Amino acid sequence: MAAAGGEPSAPSSSDDLFQNFYTEVKQIEKRDSVLTSTQQIDRLLRPGASYFNLNPFEVLQIDPEATDTELKKRFRALSILVHPDKNQDDPDRAQRAFEAVDKAYKNLLDPEQKKRAVDVISAGREYIEHTMKEKKKQLKKDGKPVFVEEDDPEMFRQAVYKQTMKLFAELEIKRKEREAKDMHERKRAREEEIETAEKAKRDREWQKNFEETRDGRVDSWRTFQSKGKKKEKKNRSFLKPPKVKMEQRE
């Protein structure tokens, strides 16, 4: 609806924006629900899919407020479309698309995972709403019309979508960093464990060899001492003092 001055009027409240956003989402879901198998596979494997597909609701094209029954129904319909058996002309890509759908479905079946995804979407929406308020404050301060592009429902939807995807991506990057750090720590701990075990093994082998050769070392030392004493006695026999000759007087 346009305002008196010819400018678009802003929605009455953030609740209206939220409702408009989901109305738009549902319209998109209805449109995309008739996509062919090939089109669904292309959607799920499009460039950047590794980040797009972090949002399980986006993968399944379903409302976060959908019931479990609706979720199951949507999963069955989509999984059939992209299943490798139905796409035997392109089984590899179909398999990857099916795995993305299956993973999203399992995430949403897990209450904790589902709550995390809903929280991310809510955080994205709240961030955009906060940004809109800050922009409007600045416009009002500057004496300009208090209208921002996100007042348009489509622009609001796109802004929330982009921010939500960014949040999902940031969480995934942090998860991978933690995973890499944990893997490094486990590897380091394993290397230390192996080194400790090898050192203990070397110590045991050294002690074993030491014990096994002890008698031989003792016998050798005794033999050495015995020969030394004999040699000493033999040498002493050659060190007898010369006989003193008595001087003869004339």
Side-chain angles (χ1 to χ4, degrees), residues 83 86 96-97 102 106-107 160 162 167 184 193 231 243 250:
H83 198 281
K86 186 177 178 60
R96 288 162 54 200
D102 185 61
K106 288 178 178 176
N107 282 344
V160 172
K162 290 178 182 178
L167 292 176
H184 175 74
E193 182 182 343
K231 186 174 181 180
K243 292 181 179 181
E250 294 180 353

Short mmCIF file of all heavy atoms in Angstrom, two decimals, residues 83 86 96-97 102 106-107 160 162 167 184 193 231 243 250:
data_model
loop_
_atom_site.label_atom_id
_atom_site.label_comp_id
_atom_site.label_asym_id
_atom_site.label_seq_id
_atom_site.Cartn_x
_atom_site.Cartn_y
_atom_site.Cartn_z
N HIS A 83 15.73 -39.47 -5.24
CA HIS A 83 16.32 -40.77 -4.95
C HIS A 83 17.08 -41.30 -6.18
O HIS A 83 16.61 -41.16 -7.31
CB HIS A 83 15.24 -41.78 -4.55
CG HIS A 83 15.79 -42.97 -3.85
ND1 HIS A 83 16.39 -44.02 -4.52
CD2 HIS A 83 15.85 -43.27 -2.53
CE1 HIS A 83 16.78 -44.93 -3.65
NE2 HIS A 83 16.47 -44.50 -2.43
N LYS A 86 15.29 -43.24 -8.87
CA LYS A 86 14.42 -42.48 -9.77
C LYS A 86 15.25 -41.66 -10.77
O LYS A 86 14.70 -41.14 -11.74
CB LYS A 86 13.52 -41.55 -8.96
CG LYS A 86 12.47 -40.82 -9.79
CD LYS A 86 11.58 -39.98 -8.91
CE LYS A 86 10.56 -39.19 -9.73
NZ LYS A 86 9.67 -40.05 -10.53
N ARG A 96 23.98 -37.68 -3.80
CA ARG A 96 24.42 -36.54 -2.98
C ARG A 96 23.23 -35.69 -2.56
O ARG A 96 23.15 -35.23 -1.41
CB ARG A 96 25.44 -35.71 -3.75
CG ARG A 96 26.80 -36.39 -3.89
CD ARG A 96 27.62 -35.75 -5.01
NE ARG A 96 27.75 -34.33 -4.83
CZ ARG A 96 28.05 -33.49 -5.80
NH1 ARG A 96 28.26 -33.93 -7.03
NH2 ARG A 96 28.16 -32.19 -5.56
N ALA A 97 22.29 -35.49 -3.49
CA ALA A 97 21.09 -34.71 -3.16
C ALA A 97 20.25 -35.44 -2.12
O ALA A 97 19.73 -34.84 -1.17
CB ALA A 97 20.29 -34.45 -4.43
N ASP A 102 18.16 -36.36 3.44
CA ASP A 102 18.11 -37.30 4.56
C ASP A 102 18.74 -36.69 5.81
O ASP A 102 18.22 -36.83 6.92
CB ASP A 102 18.83 -38.59 4.17
CG ASP A 102 18.71 -39.66 5.24
OD1 ASP A 102 17.57 -40.07 5.53
OD2 ASP A 102 19.74 -40.10 5.78
N LYS A 106 16.82 -35.87 9.39
CA LYS A 106 17.27 -36.44 10.66
C LYS A 106 17.61 -35.34 11.66
O LYS A 106 17.36 -35.50 12.87
CB LYS A 106 18.49 -37.33 10.42
CG LYS A 106 18.15 -38.64 9.72
CD LYS A 106 19.38 -39.47 9.44
CE LYS A 106 19.01 -40.79 8.78
NZ LYS A 106 20.20 -41.59 8.41
N ASN A 107 18.15 -34.23 11.19
CA ASN A 107 18.44 -33.10 12.08
C ASN A 107 17.17 -32.56 12.70
O ASN A 107 17.13 -32.21 13.89
CB ASN A 107 19.17 -31.99 11.33
CG ASN A 107 20.65 -32.29 11.13
OD1 ASN A 107 21.21 -33.16 11.79
ND2 ASN A 107 21.28 -31.59 10.22
N VAL A 160 16.75 -11.43 5.65
CA VAL A 160 16.73 -12.46 6.70
C VAL A 160 17.37 -13.74 6.19
O VAL A 160 18.14 -14.40 6.89
CB VAL A 160 15.29 -12.73 7.16
CG1 VAL A 160 15.24 -13.94 8.09
CG2 VAL A 160 14.73 -11.51 7.88
N LYS A 162 19.69 -14.10 3.87
CA LYS A 162 21.14 -13.94 3.77
C LYS A 162 21.79 -13.96 5.15
O LYS A 162 22.84 -14.59 5.35
CB LYS A 162 21.48 -12.63 3.05
CG LYS A 162 21.14 -12.63 1.57
CD LYS A 162 21.45 -11.28 0.95
CE LYS A 162 21.07 -11.26 -0.53
NZ LYS A 162 21.32 -9.92 -1.14
N LEU A 167 24.84 -16.87 9.45
CA LEU A 167 24.95 -17.41 10.81
C LEU A 167 25.20 -18.91 10.79
O LEU A 167 26.03 -19.42 11.55
CB LEU A 167 23.69 -17.10 11.60
CG LEU A 167 23.45 -15.63 11.94
CD1 LEU A 167 22.10 -15.46 12.64
CD2 LEU A 167 24.57 -15.06 12.80
N HIS A 184 43.58 -32.68 16.46
CA HIS A 184 45.00 -32.41 16.70
C HIS A 184 45.38 -32.84 18.12
O HIS A 184 46.45 -33.45 18.32
CB HIS A 184 45.29 -30.93 16.50
CG HIS A 184 46.69 -30.54 16.84
ND1 HIS A 184 47.78 -30.85 16.04
CD2 HIS A 184 47.21 -29.88 17.92
CE1 HIS A 184 48.88 -30.40 16.59
NE2 HIS A 184 48.57 -29.82 17.73
N GLU A 193 51.35 -41.13 23.87
CA GLU A 193 51.08 -42.46 24.41
C GLU A 193 51.97 -43.51 23.76
O GLU A 193 52.53 -44.38 24.45
CB GLU A 193 49.60 -42.80 24.16
CG GLU A 193 49.17 -44.15 24.71
CD GLU A 193 47.72 -44.46 24.40
OE1 GLU A 193 46.97 -43.52 24.06
OE2 GLU A 193 47.34 -45.64 24.50
N LYS A 231 99.62 -62.04 37.25
CA LYS A 231 100.61 -61.23 36.56
C LYS A 231 101.39 -60.39 37.56
O LYS A 231 102.59 -60.20 37.45
CB LYS A 231 99.92 -60.33 35.55
CG LYS A 231 100.87 -59.55 34.68
CD LYS A 231 100.10 -58.78 33.61
CE LYS A 231 101.07 -58.02 32.71
NZ LYS A 231 100.35 -57.27 31.67
N LYS A 243 121.97 -58.69 45.40
CA LYS A 243 122.71 -59.08 46.60
C LYS A 243 123.85 -58.10 46.83
O LYS A 243 124.51 -57.66 45.90
CB LYS A 243 123.29 -60.49 46.42
CG LYS A 243 122.21 -61.56 46.39
CD LYS A 243 122.84 -62.91 46.23
CE LYS A 243 121.78 -63.99 46.21
NZ LYS A 243 122.38 -65.34 46.08
N GLU A 250 142.21 -55.44 52.67
CA GLU A 250 143.58 -55.89 52.43
C GLU A 250 144.33 -56.06 53.73
O GLU A 250 144.13 -55.31 54.66
CB GLU A 250 144.33 -54.87 51.55
CG GLU A 250 143.71 -54.83 50.16
CD GLU A 250 144.45 -53.83 49.29
OE1 GLU A 250 145.31 -53.11 49.79
OE2 GLU A 250 144.09 -53.73 48.07
#
